[in-house]
Amino acid sequence: MTEEFVRQNMKGYDSGHDWWHIERVRRLAKHINEKEALADPFIVDITALLHDTADSKFAGRNGEQGYSLIADYMDSCEMSEIKAPVLNVIRNISFSSGEKYTILNDPLLCMVQDADRLDAIGAIGIARAFNYGGFRNNPIYLPGKESENSGKSTIGHFYDKLLKLKDLMNTSTGRIIAEERHKILEKFLEQFYSEWYFVKDKR
Ligand code: ADP
Ligand code: NI
């Protein structure tokens, strides 16, 4: 039933933020918790399920409206007891708010945030980035703006965020998976530039 609540409230999100993102984050969070054994599996699953429900970028809601929607939902199905820790994660999970909370001493937040970030890198992360860029009608690449002032291009987003995520992992399990996925980003960029700046082979 929580699945149905989440599906209903994510209508209108871009397709990189769809139900399957939620499923992947659930699976990753479960895996991390199995390795790290830091929290009750049910709370981890509920948090992963609900983590994007209040996203103010979509669905025309502001953050507070989203949080109270979740709070009311949890009260309505006897989850009031875990409401506070779950909402704490949802409030603090995003990249931008994450930067403000550099000391992450909540193991639930650590694990679900790692799971969410892992889904933004590797092959899936690349697919999601270009999907989001398309959704916003952003250019794929603005030459000369690879770092810092990257404009709004999707390749720019790699430098603004995606390439940084490996070093922002909270758990050692997350770090191991991130290392692998980070290499995919680097390989992709190398190939991307070699095709963009194609020079006929001089052999
Ligand atoms: P979070 O809310 O988890 O911090 P976002 O909602 O900002 O992250 O991003 C969700 C997905 O959309 C990620 O895969 C991210 O890389 C992608 N994304 C966000 N902003 C951009 C952008 N400007 N260009 C391309 N992809 C983006
Ligand atoms: Ni997410």
Side-chain angles (χ1 to χ4, degrees), residues 85-128:
V86 171
L87 279 171
N88 177 56
V89 173
I90 297 170
R91 282 177 186 277
N92 295 309
I93 194 166
S94 87
F95 183 72
S96 41
S97 56
E99 284 176 325
K100 283 181 234 143
Y101 294 83
T102 40
I103 303 158
L104 291 173
N105 47 19
D106 174 4
L108 188 61
L109 176 55
C110 289
M111 293 190 293
V112 181
Q113 186 177 66
D114 278 6
D116 195 29
R117 287 173 168 174
L118 286 170
D119 204 50
I121 55 178
I124 299 265
I126 295 169
R128 290 182 74 214

Side-chain angles (χ1 to χ4, degrees), residues 74-195:
M74 293 186 82
D75 286 335
S76 77
C77 46
E78 290 166 26
M79 290 197 280
S80 304
E81 241 175 74
I82 59 168
K83 192 171 67 174
V86 171
L87 279 171
N88 177 56
V89 173
I90 297 170
R91 282 177 186 277
N92 295 309
I93 194 166
S94 87
F95 183 72
S96 41
S97 56
E99 284 176 325
K100 283 181 234 143
Y101 294 83
T102 40
I103 303 158
L104 291 173
N105 47 19
D106 174 4
L108 188 61
L109 176 55
C110 289
M111 293 190 293
V112 181
Q113 186 177 66
D114 278 6
D116 195 29
R117 287 173 168 174
L118 286 170
D119 204 50
I121 55 178
I124 299 265
I126 295 169
R128 290 182 74 214
F130 284 98
N131 185 77
Y132 183 95
F135 179 74
R136 294 265 175 240
N137 203 22
N138 291 341
I140 57 175
Y141 175 43
L142 295 169
K145 294 198 168 177
E146 289 83 358
S147 54
E148 285 158 52
N149 182 22
S150 62
K152 287 197 304 182
S153 81
T154 300
I155 291 291
H157 182 65
F158 280 58
Y159 297 90
D160 291 341
K161 174 172 169 181
L162 306 186
L163 292 165
K164 295 177 180 168
L165 294 178
K166 164 177 76 74
D167 295 325
L168 293 172
M169 287 289 131
N170 307 303
T171 67
S172 48
T173 307
R175 215 163 295 126
I176 291 165
I177 304 170
E179 291 284 348
E180 231 173 81
R181 295 188 182 196
H182 184 85
K183 285 187 199 137
I184 304 291
L185 298 182
E186 288 182 328
K187 256 196 201 153
F188 172 83
L189 285 175
E190 195 184 312
Q191 179 69 17
F192 184 94
Y193 293 130
S194 81
E195 293 177 17

